[in-house]
Structure formats: structure tokens, C-alpha cells
Amino acid sequence: MFARYTLIFLFLTLPFTLSAEPLPSWKESASRTAIVEFVELVTTEGTPDFVPPEERIAVFDNDGTLWAEKPAYTQLLYAVDRVKDLAPSHPEWKDEQPFKGILENDLDAALAGGEEALMKMIMATHAGMTTGEFQAEAAEWFETARHPETGRAFTEMVYQPMLEVMAYLRANGFKTFIVSGGGVELMRVFAEDVYGVPPEQVVGSSIKTEFQMRDGEPVLVKLPELNFIDDKAGKPVAINLHIGRRPIAAFGNSDGDLQMLQWTTAGEGPRLGVIVHHTDAEREWAYDRKSHVGKLDQALDEAPERGWVVVDMKSDWEVIYPKGGQ
Amino acid sequence: MFARYTLIFLFLTLPFTLSAEPLPSWKESASRTAIVEFVELVTTEGTPDFVPPEERIAVFDNDGTLWAEKPAYTQLLYAVDRVKDLAPSHPEWKDEQPFKGILENDLDAALAGGEEALMKMIMATHAGMTTGEFQAEAAEWFETARHPETGRAFTEMVYQPMLEVMAYLRANGFKTFIVSGGGVELMRVFAEDVYGVPPEQVVGSSIKTEFQMRDGEPVLVKLPELNFIDDKAGKPVAINLHIGRRPIAAFGNSDGDLQMLQWTTAGEGPRLGVIVHHTDAEREWAYDRKSHVGKLDQALDEAPERGWVVVDMKSDWEVIYPKGGQ
């Protein structure tokens, strides 16, 4: 069995070791060099820095790291549409935030409650649904929903250079995980097709579910109760619970990823910490320390001393989104 | 220790992928045939029953399904040793169950509190430890602890026929997960070496952990607070949260696995549900409906109507434990 896996592994890695240039959408830059050198370091057998494949765990934040998060988290825009759909049967929402703000198209008012307001929306709009019903509905939403500023499908608002990083790591024997504040079930709807990350490698925030028998059929029903918020200090906790092994590479873009970056890069041996810095007001959005969404402040301060790579989206990336989008 | 297990694992699995006959420790039996036919069914391309590799998820209970659970769960025996180690600094335990029972060598009294008593022990003995400290200590325990009746190491109390099932499934493109009521961090100490299941594919019960900075070093500290009990109706919930995809095969041995078996086998397409029935009083233990540990009652009743395979350990298995044990 090991012999066979080795063969599969060889087969997977060959194309990349043969082709001259990984990460084609990255310009020659210090950040590109740092990523490639790290991968070569940990995959070169017979050196003290060699890391066996089973320990090559890489974790990626999603919002702002793998896809756009402006003007608001996709999860929020999804919840907004759900609230509007369900509003007719909830007359009380007219006077209650965050629902009031949504129904009056005042997203700032709705957002004022922060993460808690978002969770309140999610809980109110998902409770009572089975996991199967939710998946079907979310998949349908992704088919038709469009980004309010670019008009693209949300699954086309992903960052082409980051897709290449994930593929490059996997081709070098890494297992790629998403570790995001986003709802785990919403991300799983598209993560396999869009990122090549299977459901069991997606870690996120969640509400509780309950096992029930309905007409003799077992179902999992969503409850209006928070299970876990996978953000900030919650990220290393979730990594430990779900992955059970400290990653050797972590990619984030905000202070929500600070502890994940700290936890990953404090381990022994070679470690890679990467921050995607939103510097491109023309092709994407430029924001950091003062931003409401995706605030990057403390992590940016800590980057130099901790040796984290800070990617300058404007100067390091040839393209932002995949070609072929709308 | 780990190198030794890896060798055992190689020794155990290599012959099967090379030999024509999978599951060599299984006698010709209806249960062996059912497992082999299921695997052939879902892996034969071009048929309506073909299942693509990414959906070939198999889940295994641990206690009583992959290794022995008599006279008591290994987790409990571990906690007992911990309580005894820590007792000198906890004089109050002399008068408080389950600690009192343990210190008086009256395990029945300690066990009377059921799962809650076990969790109480775990929380009391683990709180304040970092995850790294816990792993080191648990690994050391497995080195020296011996089963109270057989004198074997606990990692040699695994079922050889089930090791073969896991290896056979993996050789056929399945991803094998453990979904157990046992503590997730304790199982991860040995699951990769003994079962070939990496940490990220081990799902179990857990206590909460907290991210902290200690002298500038990030650590995860165990808290005296329950996070999740991965048993009974909790198993499908945990499968949904951690795996995010309904398994196509489930292996259990007790009513604690009932809902996992229901959830797995109620899915569309070919499904395999297997119950390991403890029928061998001579080579192992014989128990089911009346047992305190590993009670098998309702799941045994539902097996015929739901088409679950019931493995008769006494008549279906050539051997119970791997050769080479003490």
C-alpha cells in the first residue's frame, strides 16, 4: 500500500517538478520567492528541513485571503437575501436589528452589531432547515447571485494567484485546509469545485445541528444556537480540534488570522506565514488598519519580527481574478 | 515506539495488497462476502453503483469496533492512572465520586456515574495542561500501560480483521475516519501508527481548549469544560461538522453507533452498515444486550430490516489480535 501511494504521489508531483515555473500569475517578487523557497526546503529529502508528506498541512483563511470580502462578506450577502425571502412570514423583523436594517437596505445599521448580528441573521434564517435543504438552497443562490459591484458570480471573485498557491502546495504533497470565520456549510457548497478542497478539509464557524427522525428518515436539523465562531483565538482551537496537527504554513489577510499565524509559525522547523495585503484600489480594494471588514493592524505590525511574508496584491500579482469570469 | 508501530503496520498491510485475497483473517462467511461485494460494487466504473473516490468515506467506531473495550474503556483506564498520579495534590478526591471509587480500587462505584463520571475525570485530570504536554504524557502511558486481563499493550488489543478492512478500503480509494465516543486527543496519539488514520481523520469527544500566550509562546490549554460528546445522536452531528459528507460505509458495535449507522445507510445508492457482535467469550469477550460497556440492543434489532451486516466474531474471524503481541 505504501508503495502504491508513493507512485500516486510521484505522478502528482511530476508535472510541477517538470514545468519550469510554478505560480504563473505571481510576478517575480520577494513574496513569490519566499513561497517557492519554503516549498523546496521542506520537500527536499535528506535535509534536516525535510517534512514528511503527512505533516505538510497548510491552512488558508477564506474571506479576503482566497476570495474578495468587500463591500461585505459573501456570507452576509447570502444572509441578506435569505432575510428578504423570509421577511413576509416575520413581521416582527421590521422593528428588530439586524433585520430592520436589511429590509430598509441600510446594511451599515445591520452590520453595526458585528459578528453577533451576522450570527443572529444566520440562526434566524437557517433554523429548522435540514442540512440537505440548506445545501440545495445555498447551491442555488450561488448559481444566480452576483457581486454588487463587479456583477461577477461570487465563485469568480476568487484570487487566481491563491488558487495557484493551493495547487502548487498540493502538487508538492501538502494537504490544504480552509480555516475561516465563514459558515462551514456555506463554504462546503463550493470549496471542492472552486478551490479543490474537499468538505472534510473545510473548517469554519457553525451553528448547532440536531439528529432527528422524520417519518422514519434520519435528518440533521439546524438549530437557532451558535456552535462555534472560527475567528481570532478560535482558529488555533479549531485547527487543533479538526486537524489535530499544527500546520507548517498559514495564509491569512486580517487580524482575524493573527493567532492562526502565530500558532502555525511558532512550531519547530521551517514554517511559512503569509499575509495577503489588500493594496490594489484599482483592480480590487485597498484597505487595512482602519477597515471595518478585514481589519489588518496588529498582524501587520507583528509580520516583520515573526518573519511573515506580506503579499502586496498590487505589485506582486499579475492578475486578481481567474480569466473567463463575467 | 512509533517506528515500531509503523513496521507492524507495514507488515500487516503489505501482504494483502499483494495477495489476491483481501481480508485474510476473515473466514469465508456472509459478512466477509458482504464487505467484499460492497467494495467491488462501488469501485466498478461504468455502473450505476459506482461511487467516485472523493465520496468513498468510511467511518469506524473505535471502542469495541477496532479494539477491545472490556473490562473498561481504555480511556477510563488511562484516566484512572491519571487520577492516582494526581491524587496527592487533591485530598478532596477521597470523598468525591468518581475519584473516591478509583482511589479505593472500586471501579464499579466510579463507573456508576456513566459517561458523565468519565468526563468529570478527564476534565479534572487534564485541565491546565497544554495540548503538547498531554500528547507527550499520553504517548508515555501507552508505552508502559498494560491491559489488566491480557497483559498486552493497549495498542496490541486491536482487531486484526478490522485492520485488514481499513487497509482494504483504503487500497480501494476510501478515506477511513474514526468516529468515536473516546477522547479525540487520546486517540490521535496512536491512530496514525496503529490504524493508519491521520489525526485529521479522527473525530471524537472533546473538552474545550483555549489559546493563550505563555512567555510569548502560543499554547493551547485544556479547560475543565466539556466541548462535545461524540456518541449516539452526536455521531451524525459530528460527522456533519467534521467530514461534511455522508459516509457510504459505517462500522460500529453498540447502540452508541445506532444513529451513525442509520445516518450512513439511509443515504442514496449503495451503503454498507456493519455491526461487530462480540460473541467470543474464549478469545475475547461475549456481550450485547445486557452489557454495561458496549451495550448492543436496539441496533441489533434494527439490523435485519436496515440490511446491516452483523459480524459474528467467534465464527467469522480467524484471529482476533495481531500476531506478535505479548
Side-chain angles (χ1 to χ4, degrees):
Chain A
M1 173 186 143
F2 285 153
R4 189 156 147 263
Y5 280 169
T6 308
L7 278 179
I8 292 170
F9 177 67
L10 266 176
F11 173 76
L12 287 173
T13 54
L14 266 178
F16 271 97
T17 47
L18 292 180
S19 97
E21 289 300 315
L23 310 181
S25 298
W26 290 67
K27 292 184 192 166
E28 277 304 328
S29 58
S31 56
R32 182 186 179 287
T33 302
I35 295 169
V36 172
E37 283 183 353
F38 171 78
V39 169
E40 289 174 354
L41 188 69
V42 300
T43 57
T44 305
E45 284 195 65
T47 73
D49 291 324
F50 177 75
V51 176
E54 65 271 19
E55 292 173 20
R56 293 182 203 156
I57 304 286
V59 289
F60 293 81
D61 170 58
N62 185 38
D63 295 303
T65 299
L66 295 178
W67 75 357
E69 62 184 352
K70 289 279 188 179
Y73 297 128
T74 305
Q75 173 103 38
L76 174 66
L77 302 174
Y78 169 73
V80 162
D81 284 357
R82 281 287 296 163
V83 165
K84 288 179 176 172
D85 283 351
L86 294 174
S89 40
H90 290 274
E92 75 280 11
W93 285 355
K94 279 200 208 90
D95 306 308
E96 188 188 345
Q97 291 295 9
F99 311 106
K100 183 171 183 288
I102 290 168
L103 298 175
E104 294 170 354
N105 287 315
D106 182 358
L107 212 55
D108 282 345
L111 268 173
E115 199 136 15
E116 205 176 303
L118 181 56
M119 287 312 298
K120 198 172 167 186
M121 262 185 264
I122 292 168
M123 291 190 285
T125 54
H126 293 189
M129 294 178 90
T130 68
T131 51
E133 287 163 358
F134 171 80
Q135 283 154 20
E137 192 211 66
E140 197 187 312
W141 184 82
F142 276 111
E143 288 280 350
T144 55
R146 292 295 175 269
H147 189 277
E149 298 188 17
T150 68
R152 278 178 165 243
F154 288 97
T155 48
E156 289 168 345
M157 298 289 292
V158 297
Y159 303 137
Q160 172 66 24
M162 294 305 292
L163 297 181
E164 293 170 8
V165 168
M166 285 196 287
Y168 173 56
L169 289 175
R170 288 193 294 260
N172 281 283
F174 279 75
K175 233 179 188 174
T176 52
F177 286 80
I178 291 169
V179 178
S180 166
V184 64
E185 299 214 48
L186 191 71
M187 292 188 286
R188 283 172 174 160
V189 169
F190 63 90
E192 190 159 34
D193 289 328
V194 175
Y195 298 139
V197 176
E200 64 269 24
Q201 286 162 228
V202 179
V203 179
S205 297
S206 54
I207 55 176
K208 287 193 191 296
T209 62
E210 183 179 71
F211 179 86
Q212 294 177 5
M213 278 288 179
R214 286 188 178 173
D215 305 326
E217 276 293 298
V219 291
L220 290 169
V221 179
K222 288 169 162 280
L223 302 180
E225 194 182 339
L226 180 66
N227 183 54
F228 188 76
I229 293 188
D230 184 28
D231 198 31
K232 301 189 175 74
K235 288 200 174 193
V237 168
I239 287 170
N240 184 59
L241 186 62
H242 288 259
I243 306 177
R245 181 135 55 187
R246 199 194 291 231
I248 64 168
F251 297 76
N253 77 298
S254 78
D255 283 358
D257 305 310
L258 175 65
Q259 291 84 350
M260 177 169 83
L261 286 159
Q262 291 171 335
W263 175 245
T264 299
T265 58
E268 282 175 31
R271 303 280 158 162
L272 178 68
V274 177
I275 293 173
V276 174
H277 190 190
H278 292 263
T279 52
D280 195 328
E282 205 163 307
R283 297 184 299 173
E284 208 241 0
W285 288 268
Y287 58 98
D288 47 34
R289 297 182 192 274
K290 307 273 183 206
S291 181
H292 201 67
V293 170
K295 178 179 174 180
L296 172 65
D297 188 35
Q298 197 183 339
L300 200 55
D301 287 339
E302 288 196 16
E305 60 188 284
R306 294 195 183 264
W308 298 337
V309 176
V310 179
V311 174
D312 182 332
M313 284 176 74
K314 185 173 179 174
S315 63
D316 292 353
W317 288 1
E318 290 279 3
V319 299
I320 304 283
Y321 305 120
K323 284 175 191 156
Q326 295 182 331
Chain B
M1 166 185 160
F2 290 152
R4 188 162 138 248
Y5 286 135
T6 307
L7 278 180
I8 291 171
F9 181 66
L10 262 177
F11 172 76
L12 289 172
T13 56
L14 262 181
F16 311 139
T17 47
L18 298 179
S19 83
E21 287 297 317
L23 311 182
S25 298
W26 290 67
K27 293 184 192 167
E28 277 305 328
S29 59
S31 56
R32 182 186 179 286
T33 302
I35 294 169
V36 172
E37 282 184 354
F38 171 78
V39 170
E40 289 174 353
L41 188 69
V42 300
T43 56
T44 306
E45 284 194 64
T47 72
D49 291 323
F50 177 75
V51 176
E54 65 270 20
E55 292 173 19
R56 292 181 204 156
I57 304 285
V59 288
F60 294 81
D61 169 58
N62 186 37
D63 295 303
T65 299
L66 296 179
W67 73 358
E69 63 186 350
K70 289 280 190 179
Y73 297 128
T74 304
Q75 174 103 39
L76 174 66
L77 302 176
Y78 170 73
V80 162
D81 283 357
R82 280 288 295 162
V83 166
K84 288 179 177 172
D85 282 352
L86 294 174
S89 40
H90 290 273
E92 74 279 12
W93 285 354
K94 279 200 207 92
D95 305 308
E96 189 189 344
Q97 291 296 6
F99 311 105
K100 183 172 183 286
I102 291 168
L103 298 176
E104 295 170 352
N105 286 315
D106 182 358
L107 212 55
D108 282 345
L111 268 172
E115 199 135 16
E116 206 176 301
L118 181 56
M119 287 313 296
K120 199 172 167 187
M121 261 184 267
I122 293 169
M123 292 189 285
T125 53
H126 294 189
M129 293 178 91
T130 69
T131 51
E133 288 163 356
F134 172 79
Q135 284 155 19
E137 191 212 66
E140 196 188 312
W141 184 81
F142 275 112
E143 286 280 358
T144 54
R146 291 297 176 266
H147 189 278
E149 298 189 16
T150 68
R152 280 177 166 247
F154 288 98
T155 48
E156 289 168 346
M157 296 290 293
V158 297
Y159 303 136
Q160 171 66 21
M162 294 305 292
L163 297 181
E164 293 171 10
V165 168
M166 287 196 287
Y168 173 56
L169 290 174
R170 289 193 294 260
N172 280 281
F174 280 75
K175 233 178 189 177
T176 51
F177 287 80
I178 291 169
V179 178
S180 167
V184 65
E185 299 213 51
L186 190 71
M187 291 189 287
R188 282 171 174 161
V189 169
F190 64 89
E192 188 159 36
D193 291 309
V194 175
Y195 298 139
V197 176
E200 63 269 25
Q201 287 163 225
V202 179
V203 179
S205 298
S206 53
I207 56 175
K208 288 193 191 298
T209 62
E210 185 179 70
F211 178 86
Q212 294 177 7
M213 278 289 179
R214 286 190 178 171
D215 305 324
E217 277 292 298
V219 290
L220 291 168
V221 179
K222 289 170 161 279
L223 303 179
E225 193 182 339
L226 181 66
N227 182 52
F228 187 76
I229 293 188
D230 185 29
D231 197 31
K232 302 189 175 74
K235 288 201 174 193
V237 168
I239 287 170
N240 183 60
L241 184 63
H242 289 258
I243 307 177
R245 180 134 59 185
R246 198 193 293 232
I248 64 168
F251 298 76
N253 78 297
S254 78
D255 284 359
D257 306 310
L258 175 66
Q259 290 85 351
M260 176 169 84
L261 285 160
Q262 290 171 336
W263 174 245
T264 299
T265 58
E268 283 176 30
R271 303 280 157 162
L272 178 67
V274 177
I275 293 174
V276 174
H277 190 188
H278 292 262
T279 53
D280 195 328
E282 206 163 307
R283 296 186 299 173
E284 208 239 1
W285 287 269
Y287 58 97
D288 47 34
R289 297 182 192 275
K290 307 275 182 202
S291 180
H292 202 66
V293 169
K295 179 180 174 179
L296 173 65
D297 187 38
Q298 197 183 338
L300 200 55
D301 288 339
E302 287 195 17
E305 60 188 283
R306 295 198 183 262
W308 298 336
V309 175
V310 179
V311 174
D312 182 331
M313 284 175 75
K314 184 174 179 175
S315 63
D316 293 353
W317 287 1
E318 291 278 3
V319 299
I320 304 285
Y321 306 120
K323 284 174 191 159
Q326 296 183 327

